[in-house]
Amino acid sequence: MSNVDTIKNFVITEFLPGTAAGELAADHDLLNDGVIDSLGVLKLIAWVEDRFELAIGDADLDPDNFRSVEAIDTFIAESRRTAAA
């Protein structure tokens, strides 16, 4: 499973139960549409840290990093690249 699928499954399970994976576009704005609120963002960040073994620092807490499934996937990829360098 790709990161996009993994992230999408988490978002659907936690925030959009009953939604089919195909109904959630990878670029859907989860924050502006109210799918994820401020407490949901904290839950999402904790899950990303645990699932992808990343340490997310204060500088990474930009809402744009968690705005969509696509943005989360990009954030994870960039964080891994940075950690490997």
Side-chain angles (χ1 to χ4, degrees), residues 7 11 33 52 71 78-79:
I7 297 162
V11 169
D33 284 352
F52 297 99
E78 290 176 3
S79 295

Side-chain angles (χ1 to χ4, degrees), residues 7 65 69-79 81:
I7 297 162
N65 289 335
V69 170
E70 195 171 68
I72 298 164
D73 185 47
T74 299
F75 170 75
I76 291 166
E78 290 176 3
S79 295
R81 264 185 249 124

Side-chain angles (χ1 to χ4, degrees), residues 53-77:
E53 299 178 353
L54 296 174
I56 298 176
D58 291 343
D60 300 321
L61 296 179
D62 182 345
D64 287 336
N65 289 335
F66 304 97
R67 186 162 300 285
S68 67
V69 170
E70 195 171 68
I72 298 164
D73 185 47
T74 299
F75 170 75
I76 291 166

